[in-house]
Amino acid sequence: MKAIRRFTVRTVLPESLAAVSALAANLRWSWHEPTKALFARIDPQRWEELDHDPVALLGAVDPARLDELAHDAAFMAEAEALRADLMAYLEQPRWYQSLSDAPQRIAYFSPEFGIASAIPQYSGGLGILAGDHLKSASDLGLPLIGVGLFYRAGYFRQAIDRDGWQKESYPLIDPDGLPMQMLREPDGTSVRITLSLPGGEALHARVWRMDVGRVVLLLLDTDIHDNSDELRGVTDRLYGGGGEHRLLQELLLGIGGVRAIKRYLDVTGTPAPEVFHTNEGHAGFLGLERISDLIADGLSFTEALQVVRAGTLFTTHTPVPAGIDRFEGELIERYFSTDLLPGVTAADVLALGTEDYEGGDPAVFNMAVMGLRLAQRANGVSKLHGEVSRGMFGALWQGFDQGDVPITSVTNGVHAPTWTDPLMVALAKEKLGTYETSACDWRSEAVSDADLWSVRRAMRQQLVTDARERVTAAWAEQNPGIAAPSWMAELLDPDVLTIGFARRVPTYKRLTLMLHDPDRLRALLTDPERPVQLVIAGKSHPADDSGKALIQKLVQFAAEPELRRRIVFLPNYDIGMARLLYPGTDIWLNNPLRPLEACGTSGMKAALNGSLNLSILDGWWNEYYDAENGWAIPTADAAGDGAERDKLEAEAMYDLIEHQIAPRYYDRDADGLPRRWLQSIRHTLATLSPELSADRMVREYVERLYVPAAHAERAITADGNRPARELAAWKARVAAEWPHVSVTHVESGGVQSPQVGDELKVRAHVQLAGLSPDDVLVEVAFGRARNGDDLVDVRRQPLELSEHELGQPATFVGTVPLARSGSFGYNVRVTPKHALLANPAELGLVAVAH
């Protein structure tokens, strides 16, 4: 018999175990090894069975065991010490508190958060990145509020059927079984957020609060009786449903998320955020809710837009237009022709997201376009992705070179305490005296090669054991009552070169590139002297049959009797699997179609544990590969078509494994140690660990983006928002006059036979129409002249006003140093200039000499 309803009865611990309860309530346990060790002591077997979930553990353990622990002096002393450590962590100043004039609070919106395997509110890299961002923000002391949705069924649970086809199931998650509390009003009632919908309907949501170290995470949940059955399902699944369902989720995340923050501030007396960070376009509507609030305070829409832009950062994670959420303009118009946002019209909204540029579809509303138009600052997630983003969104800044498009980059990082295996942490503590694996000297002789190799083998053994258990469990699920085949107990070998590959399975990530030449892959896997083994995992989106077909092809290949001990596909890739998979691999493989990998943080997590990377030069690897920390698969950009490109890149991958990687791995000295391989491990740990840390990433966000955004927000809201009103009026005037602005003539001189060290004098005559010289920035742009007179390696030098007679073009002059030999070219450009602009290209207006 099946239950008609399920719910979780929370454990009430004895008062004497209050310290244990406090430790379970704060998600710092998800990355704090001493706290996890304490929970493991309660019941080691159940701790593993429950996937390191302390709330579930405390609910499942026998009351007699709890009573035993309450009278265990050593256990209680450790619990009290850990609670004291947690309180100090939460209260004492950290890095952020040493900064002056930093934002008093930051709001961070994301559609998914991957924090712990016990909280399945993520699908892949975007959510894991968001979880790592919160964790490092906490470690560094950032006053950050995270905002997301609570999905009752998370993403999905993956199983592979007998034909190798992916099957999805959606086990319901009971919020009462998770380490979170309902946000309540002062009278004890739950906080409710309400959005007006077409047809007079309303969408209601309650708000859950999670404490992620020092960071508060608010999650909105529509599964409440206030809603109709249909609207209760708005937060049913992550990335589920069709266009209108997705729109409702994103309206709730953005608009509802800001409203949830406002209620949280009122309830707790917390200072309001000065900076709003939109992690991908899904939360873009948050800017419209803030505009509506400012309109209520007396600003016009365009004036309020200036305020919102100043304090908003937009991070894009996709390198392909297909990865962006787009809605029919008519659907957007219907939803915003309501009381949803007082003071904001549907026309105002459509103007922000409509693809009204060359190459766009005017009938479509683009969430990334709205995100960029609502944010004064924007970034990609690796240097290469920044370049790709500037090209992909360049039409929003017509007339500007791709390099001038105002989208910068902050390369992602990963949270070292979460993703570094405890065995590596223990080695650092024992030999180097620190738990900070990303900041210690891995080249030190205090760590011997034998020490390092022993830990690396132990991590490989962990992976082998886990893989065998997962494959056996999957067999039992598919074949109840039938004993698992004996070969599953012999799956993989802890002494064989192990290559890992795990990620989402869209076609561009090329899961099956390794199968391009099946015979050659067989030879590598079964080589009698230098064998290789492959551990593979990944989920395909439920609607992506092409991705599922790739998984099926791989699973069927791995089922061949002569190969099944050397290659395995592990179902249901999640954080629990990943924490053993990354450390247990010797090589982390990544072979996307370049440049379609925005960053690719899985390889970072492997590197933190001493794994070497074998990857296409895409994402983060493009900027960090140095020929010692791994291998680069050459990109066959010049291939005639996709099939030829796959062939060339697959053959290069096979060659690297056969002729470079396997020989280095199996080249052992008299002590049985691969000294050359260990040299690469030490180099990887020493050079990449600090750079790949999410602490580095978050510091970069703070210093380069959050602090400037906070300063801009303060400047534009000074004196009752007077600067915002003035900026809106100035922009309108500049936009009206700009069609009449031009560079009428450019003169140069000062050199006869140009040579290094000379100075070129430039005089530009600029027709300003109704603008003043103070309204514009006039620059000479110079660099190397290539084919077609295109300038590369461009630098700019401002020109100064020389004279401006009424009714005549203004004259601007300056000099350009000829600092290098070779071809040289220059031009003059004019852009709007205002103290409250963050970038000369911000308005998308430019005039150049012709």
Side-chain angles (χ1 to χ4, degrees):
M1 181 180 296
K2 292 187 177 181
I4 60 171
R5 186 175 173 224
R6 290 177 55 190
F7 57 88
T8 301
V9 180
R10 290 193 180 228
T11 302
V12 179
L13 294 180
E15 181 61 31
S16 57
L17 291 175
V20 177
S21 182
L23 292 170
N26 190 301
L27 280 158
R28 188 200 184 204
W29 56 255
S30 68
W31 71 91
H32 190 244
E33 287 303 323
T35 303
K36 287 197 284 186
L38 179 81
F39 287 124
R41 281 180 57 190
I42 295 174
D43 189 329
Q45 182 176 342
R46 280 186 173 161
W47 175 247
E48 293 300 326
E49 291 173 352
L50 295 171
D51 209 8
H52 296 191
D53 179 352
V55 175
L57 174 72
L58 294 173
V61 72
D62 191 287
R65 174 59 176 157
L66 294 178
D67 184 64
E68 179 184 342
L69 292 169
H71 292 87
D72 184 332
F75 179 87
M76 293 302 300
E78 185 178 350
E80 291 294 346
L82 286 170
R83 178 167 63 171
D85 178 77
L86 174 61
M87 291 303 103
Y89 172 87
L90 297 176
E91 296 168 2
Q92 291 178 0
R94 305 186 76 81
W95 171 79
Y96 192 85
Q97 283 64 50
S98 70
L99 304 179
S100 60
D101 219 19
Q104 63 180 359
R105 195 154 299 277
I106 301 140
Y108 181 87
F109 285 65
S110 179
E112 51 178 302
F113 288 91
I115 298 169
S117 55
I119 309 169
Q121 300 290 302
Y122 60 93
S123 70
L126 177 68
I128 301 298
L129 180 280
D132 283 5
H133 194 106
L134 297 193
K135 292 173 184 177
S136 276
S138 174
D139 290 344
L140 295 171
L142 272 67
L144 190 142
I145 302 175
V147 181
L149 302 180
F150 177 75
Y151 304 98
R152 184 55 63 97
Y155 190 39
F156 68 87
R157 184 179 181 277
Q158 179 196 49
I160 305 298
D161 69 15
R162 295 177 183 177
D163 297 323
W165 194 254
Q166 171 181 292
K167 297 294 185 180
E168 302 90 22
S169 60
Y170 294 87
L172 294 181
I173 305 162
D174 186 351
D176 287 320
L178 298 179
M180 60 187 191
Q181 301 291 331
M182 197 178 298
L183 186 64
R184 297 189 179 277
E185 299 286 359
D187 64 2
T189 60
S190 61
V191 166
R192 285 291 191 271
I193 304 302
T194 301
L195 274 64
S196 297
L197 301 181
E201 281 195 291
L203 175 65
H204 306 281
R206 59 182 170 180
V207 183
W208 296 97
R209 169 182 173 161
M210 283 188 180
D211 292 315
V212 187
R214 298 168 70 112
V215 167
V216 171
L217 174 59
L218 304 178
L219 300 175
L220 284 81
D221 174 11
T222 63
D223 188 19
I224 54 177
H225 292 295
D226 305 45
N227 289 320
S228 65
D229 288 346
E230 182 179 357
L231 292 179
R232 288 183 71 165
V234 167
T235 55
D236 56 353
R237 301 174 182 177
L238 176 59
Y239 304 142
E244 190 162 0
H245 186 83
R246 180 74 67 88
L247 176 61
L248 281 166
Q249 289 187 338
E250 298 187 1
L251 291 170
L252 180 64
L253 175 59
I255 297 171
V258 174
R259 294 177 184 178
I261 286 180
K262 288 183 288 189
R263 291 306 310 137
Y264 172 76
L265 301 181
D266 289 343
V267 169
T268 62
T270 303
E274 294 181 281
V275 175
F276 286 75
H277 185 172
T278 308
N279 190 41
E280 225 356 305
H282 309 80
F285 291 121
L286 71 88
L288 297 176
E289 170 69 9
R290 296 174 60 213
I291 286 174
S292 179
D293 288 343
L294 290 163
I295 290 173
D297 290 340
L299 295 184
S300 69
F301 180 88
T302 54
E303 292 166 348
L305 176 59
Q306 312 314 314
V307 175
V308 168
R309 279 180 49 80
T312 300
L313 165 65
F314 174 72
T315 297
T316 174
H317 288 261
T318 179
V320 289
I324 297 169
D325 278 345
R326 301 163 81 228
F327 300 103
E328 292 297 324
E330 293 179 355
L331 183 64
I332 297 295
E333 184 172 15
R334 181 160 67 88
Y335 270 83
F336 285 92
S337 298
T338 62
D339 296 329
L340 177 60
L341 290 176
V344 177
T345 68
D348 292 330
V349 178
L350 287 168
L352 290 170
T354 299
E355 296 181 355
D356 55 356
Y357 45 81
E358 183 178 350
D361 182 349
V364 167
F365 186 89
N366 185 307
M367 293 297 290
V369 168
M370 179 180 67
L372 289 165
R373 286 172 171 164
L374 281 170
Q376 193 172 42
R377 289 163 180 82
N379 71 283
V381 292
S382 69
K383 289 181 179 178
L384 180 58
H385 181 234
E387 295 175 14
V388 171
S389 299
R390 288 188 286 275
M392 188 165 74
F393 296 111
L396 294 173
W397 291 273
Q398 287 187 359
F400 286 89
D401 293 340
Q402 180 172 325
D404 294 327
V405 170
I407 301 175
T408 185
S409 64
V410 176
T411 301
N412 283 343
V414 296
H415 186 244
T418 294
W419 297 110
T420 307
D421 192 272
L423 293 172
M424 287 292 290
V425 176
L427 178 64
K429 178 59 178 175
E430 178 187 354
K431 301 296 183 178
L432 301 173
T434 178
Y435 290 114
E436 299 290 337
T437 58
S438 61
C440 57
D441 182 9
W442 286 105
R443 292 193 176 100
S444 170
E445 293 182 359
V447 179
S448 70
D449 281 355
D451 294 332
L452 194 53
W453 190 240
S454 174
V455 167
R456 289 290 308 153
R457 189 193 184 281
M459 293 191 295
R460 212 177 304 114
Q461 179 67 67
Q462 287 180 161
L463 171 59
V464 169
T465 301
D466 187 62
R468 291 172 179 173
E469 291 174 352
R470 289 178 183 275
V471 169
T472 302
W475 168 271
E477 187 173 330
Q478 290 286 337
N479 305 275
I482 302 175
S486 59
W487 65 264
M488 290 185 178
E490 301 169 0
L491 179 72
L492 306 178
D493 183 331
D495 293 309
V496 166
L497 171 60
T498 304
I499 300 177
F501 182 102
R503 49 191 40 85
R504 290 184 303 110
V505 190
T507 51
Y508 78 86
K509 291 182 183 282
R510 297 193 295 185
L511 171 70
T512 56
L513 185 68
M514 63 184 74
L515 300 183
H516 191 274
D517 184 341
D519 290 336
R520 190 159 185 198
L521 180 58
R522 285 189 189 93
L524 290 171
L525 294 171
T526 60
D527 188 293
E529 295 182 2
R530 296 192 297 231
V532 173
Q533 60 192 12
L534 278 162
V535 184
I536 305 157
K539 293 179 176 180
S540 177
H541 188 279
D544 182 7
D545 282 350
S546 296
K548 293 180 185 180
L550 297 179
I551 293 175
Q552 183 181 47
K553 182 178 180 181
L554 186 73
V555 169
Q556 291 175 345
F557 177 82
E560 295 181 12
E562 70 272 22
L563 300 180
R564 60 193 181 194
R565 290 177 176 82
R566 286 283 181 264
I567 179 171
V568 60
F569 182 90
L570 300 179
N572 206 40
Y573 179 41
D574 63 2
I575 289 175
M577 180 193 296
R579 66 172 180 249
L580 296 179
L581 178 55
Y582 302 138
T585 56
D586 300 295
I587 291 289
W588 194 258
L589 175 63
N590 191 24
N591 46 237
L593 280 169
R594 188 180 191 271
L596 302 185
E597 182 82 274
C599 184
T601 55
S602 59
M604 293 180 166
K605 301 176 187 104
L608 290 184
N609 291 281
S611 299
L612 308 182
N613 275 264
L614 169 63
S615 177
I616 294 286
L617 285 172
D618 202 3
W620 75 276
W621 191 236
N622 186 66
E623 63 194 87
Y624 283 112
Y625 166 67
D626 66 6
E628 180 62 28
N629 51 21
W631 289 266
I633 301 170
T635 304
D637 291 328
D641 57 25
E644 183 184 0
R645 179 173 181 170
D646 286 352
K647 177 178 183 294
L648 293 172
E649 294 181 3
E651 288 175 348
M653 177 179 65
Y654 298 139
D655 285 344
L656 286 169
I657 294 171
E658 181 178 358
H659 301 301
Q660 295 189 37
I661 295 172
R664 184 182 299 184
Y665 180 86
Y666 286 108
D667 180 17
R668 309 295 168 87
D669 66 5
D671 297 322
L673 297 174
R675 300 285 183 179
R676 181 66 184 86
W677 188 274
L678 286 159
Q679 177 182 322
S680 293
I681 290 177
R682 287 183 185 273
H683 175 82
T684 292
L685 291 171
T687 60
L688 289 183
S689 294
E691 288 296 311
L692 303 185
S693 166
D695 284 3
R696 184 273 309 155
M697 173 190 73
V698 172
R699 284 192 184 100
E700 202 170 333
Y701 272 113
V702 169
E703 294 167 349
R704 292 181 47 212
L705 295 165
Y706 291 168
V707 169
H711 292 176
E713 196 271 346
R714 293 170 193 166
I716 206 165
T717 57
D719 193 16
N721 294 312
R722 179 179 56 80
R725 293 185 171 92
E726 293 175 350
L727 180 61
W730 178 85
K731 284 186 175 182
R733 180 168 61 86
V734 169
E737 295 292 340
W738 203 260
H740 310 294
V741 173
S742 63
V743 181
T744 60
H745 183 60
V746 177
E747 304 165 1
S748 63
V751 293
Q752 297 297 324
S753 299
Q755 58 184 9
V756 173
D758 286 349
E759 288 190 338
L760 178 72
K761 296 179 180 179
V762 178
R763 178 182 294 266
H765 303 276
V766 181
Q767 175 57 258
L768 295 176
L771 302 181
S772 78
D774 291 336
D775 292 327
V776 297
L777 172 64
V778 181
E779 300 170 293
V780 55
F782 58 96
R784 298 186 185 276
R786 300 294 190 188
N787 295 335
D789 295 328
D790 288 334
L791 294 179
V792 296
D793 300 329
V794 177
R795 299 170 60 191
R796 292 181 185 83
Q797 181 78 28
L799 300 180
E800 301 294 332
L801 178 67
S802 174
E803 55 183 307
H804 184 208
E805 295 183 10
L806 187 63
Q808 298 297 315
T811 302
F812 294 81
V813 300
T815 59
V816 176
L818 303 182
R820 57 190 181 191
S821 59
S823 64
F824 180 87
Y826 73 95
N827 201 339
V828 171
R829 78 170 191 181
V830 184
T831 53
K833 182 180 72 173
H834 192 283
L836 294 176
L837 299 183
N839 187 285
E842 189 171 317
L843 272 63
L845 301 174
V846 63
V848 298
H850 295 287

